[in-house]
Amino acid sequence: MLKVDDIDVYYGNIQALKGLSLEVNEGEIVTLIGANGAGKSTLLQTLSGLQKPKRGSVEYLGESIAGKAAQSIVKAGISHVPEGRRVFANLSVEENLDLGAYLRKDKEGIAKDLAHVYELFPRLLERKKQQSGTLSGGEQQMLAMGRAIMAKPKLLLLDEPSMGLAPLMVQNIFTIIETINKEGTTILLVEQNAHMALSVANRAYVLETGKIVLAGTAKELQESDEVRAAYLGGL
């Protein structure tokens, strides 16, 4: 579904991604783990059109999307849940969700997907008229995910969905990630909580200073001494 081949991405003179290549197959959950500053968010921003690679190619469903405008990438079926949620704080929960469907014209489909988002996240239904800026961190994460789902993506990019959340809420968010995937959405997950990420993923990549240093099935990486020592607390 997604093929990233040998991309270099820069911020000014600083190289953030160095010859990075990876693949995501339809129906998978693929996770990208790595320390802060490894380039994980930069990769997702590049895939969603917010950064442009200086070199290399990005193909989605066989078409080149490197350097395309962000809105055309959303239209093609890729939604991005950014790090830090980025909800529209002064708008209500429901207004945020409506914005997720801004490129869609199918009113019946939008209404159906809105009802489904409220099924996945009952807390959002309870707070649908509430200003988004007054929600807890966990509720804002649910809203950011719900908003992305409203675009009806084929591929969902999730950037640090568990960041700053209480353990019970983290468990809840990961259960919903698995549900979304089982319903047919392919997921590329960036996550510092390597233990949780590897527990839901099919395959995983380890990113260090802009390069992929390890790749394999989630099980292989869970059992790797190197990954255990660096990311799983030596478990």
Side-chain angles (χ1 to χ4, degrees):
M1 185 182 240
L2 179 75
K3 187 174 182 183
V4 178
D5 189 27
D6 205 20
I7 62 167
D8 290 346
V9 177
Y10 287 79
Y11 292 104
N13 294 325
I14 298 162
Q15 189 170 2
L17 299 179
K18 302 163 186 170
L20 186 144
S21 300
L22 61 77
E23 288 184 4
V24 179
N25 300 311
E26 194 165 347
E28 285 188 311
I29 298 178
V30 174
T31 190
L32 199 60
I33 57 177
N36 264 342
K40 304 184 303 294
S41 294
T42 301
L43 174 65
L44 293 196
Q45 287 169 8
T46 305
L47 298 178
S48 61
L50 302 173
Q51 296 290 339
K52 289 182 172 50
K54 202 163 188 177
R55 186 175 70 88
S57 66
V58 181
E59 282 185 11
Y60 167 68
L61 297 174
E63 302 265 318
S64 172
I65 58 165
K68 275 197 172 179
Q71 63 268 31
S72 66
I73 290 174
V74 174
K75 206 169 187 174
I78 299 178
S79 282
H80 183 174
V81 180
E83 185 183 345
R85 293 95 161 152
R86 308 278 179 93
V87 300
F88 297 98
N90 58 340
L91 298 180
S92 72
V93 165
E94 193 143 295
E95 286 168 333
N96 268 270
L97 293 173
D98 287 341
L99 277 171
Y102 80 103
L103 286 175
R104 295 175 62 183
K105 302 285 184 278
D106 55 324
K107 281 190 179 174
E108 276 181 29
I110 292 169
K112 195 175 157 193
D113 286 341
L114 183 61
H116 184 49
V117 166
Y118 286 144
E119 265 175 51
L120 284 170
F121 306 104
R123 196 88 60 91
L124 297 183
L125 179 60
E126 291 165 22
R127 290 163 171 51
K128 69 177 185 178
K129 299 296 179 203
Q130 198 171 316
Q131 269 202 336
S132 301
T134 64
L135 299 176
S136 71
E139 288 162 351
Q140 288 192 10
Q141 185 61 51
M142 290 174 178
L143 179 55
M145 288 169 69
R147 182 179 59 189
I149 290 165
M150 289 301 294
K152 218 172 173 59
K154 297 184 186 84
L155 174 62
L156 185 60
L157 311 176
L158 288 172
D159 195 350
E160 303 285 8
S162 79
M163 189 185 272
L165 302 186
L168 198 62
M169 183 59 83
V170 171
Q171 192 66 56
N172 190 3
I173 291 289
F174 273 88
T175 301
I176 291 162
I177 289 169
E178 287 185 286
T179 301
I180 294 166
N181 177 248
K182 281 175 188 148
E183 289 172 352
T185 306
T186 304
I187 293 171
L188 179 57
L189 168 67
V190 156
E191 182 54 70
Q192 269 199 302
N193 185 335
H195 189 68
M196 286 300 292
L198 291 171
S199 74
V200 299
N202 303 99
R203 292 188 304 108
Y205 293 90
V206 177
L207 191 57
E208 284 180 12
T209 58
K211 293 177 186 167
I212 300 286
V213 293
L214 277 174
T217 66
K219 191 171 187 298
E220 284 167 351
L221 266 63
Q222 273 173 320
E223 290 169 358
S224 150
D225 291 341
E226 212 175 319
V227 172
R228 281 183 182 194
Y231 303 105
L232 299 175
L235 293 172

